[in-house]
Amino acid sequence: MSDAKEYKVGELSDSMPAPTQYETKPFKKGRPPAPLQFEINLTAEAHDRQRKSGMVQVNIPGFSPVKLYCDEQTPVGDDTAPPPLAYLCAGIAFCLMTHLTDIYSARKIKIKSMNIEQKMRFQTNLSNMRDLGHTTEGETLGIETHVLIESDEPQERIMDLMDEAENACMAHHALRNPIPWSSRLIYNGKEVIKRNG
C-alpha cells in the first residue's frame, strides 16, 4: 500500500459547464481551407479557504467535460490540488507537445524520444504587502521552453518541425502576440466593472 499523499486533479464529469453570463456556441466544422474555430468553456466555484473547482469543456465533439480541482500551498491553502499557475504552465507545455506529436506523425518524421522542460517566472507581493495594508500586484516575468528531441532525421527536418509546431500552438500564440481580452465584475447581479483590451 502506498503512503503517497492524495492530490486531486480532476475527473470526468456527467454535466457540462453552464455559464450564465455568456452564450456558448455549438461547434461548427469549417470547410477547408478555412481554419477550425472552437471554444473552451469553463465555470469555476470558490470553496473553503483556497479550494476551487471548475467544470471545463472543449466544444469539439469527442471531448468529455472534466471537473478540475485547484488549491494553494499552506498556510493559505491546504495543498490538496495543483495551484492555478501550475495548470497554466502545464497547459502551455502540453499544447506545444500536442502539436509536435501531431505534426511529426502526419509528416512521418521518425522520433526516438521527445521531452519538454519549461520554466515560467512570476513575481507577487501577495505574501508581504497584504499584511501591511497595501494592494497586491503580480506579474509574469517570462517563460523558457526547451524541447529535447532525439532522432536520426536531418537537423533541418527537426527544425522545420519545431517551427511548424510553434506556429500551430495556440498557447504559444497567446504568449507571443497581444490577444483581445475582457473581464467583468457582476456584483449582486449588476455589472459594476467592465474592462477590455
Short mmCIF file of all heavy atoms in Angstrom, two decimals, residues 56 175 191:
data_model
loop_
_atom_site.label_atom_id
_atom_site.label_comp_id
_atom_site.label_asym_id
_atom_site.label_seq_id
_atom_site.Cartn_x
_atom_site.Cartn_y
_atom_site.Cartn_z
N VAL A 56 -14.89 22.21 -17.09
CA VAL A 56 -14.32 22.70 -18.34
C VAL A 56 -14.68 21.76 -19.48
O VAL A 56 -14.73 20.54 -19.29
CB VAL A 56 -12.78 22.90 -18.22
CG1 VAL A 56 -12.08 21.59 -17.95
CG2 VAL A 56 -12.22 23.60 -19.45
N LEU A 175 1.11 33.69 -26.00
CA LEU A 175 2.28 34.22 -25.31
C LEU A 175 3.01 35.26 -26.15
O LEU A 175 3.55 36.23 -25.63
CB LEU A 175 3.27 33.08 -25.00
CG LEU A 175 2.84 32.04 -23.99
CD1 LEU A 175 3.85 30.90 -23.97
CD2 LEU A 175 2.69 32.65 -22.61
N GLU A 191 -23.72 44.54 -13.25
CA GLU A 191 -22.37 44.76 -13.77
C GLU A 191 -21.82 46.07 -13.22
O GLU A 191 -22.39 47.13 -13.41
CB GLU A 191 -22.40 44.82 -15.30
CG GLU A 191 -21.03 45.06 -15.92
CD GLU A 191 -21.09 45.19 -17.43
OE1 GLU A 191 -21.32 46.32 -17.91
OE2 GLU A 191 -20.93 44.16 -18.11
#
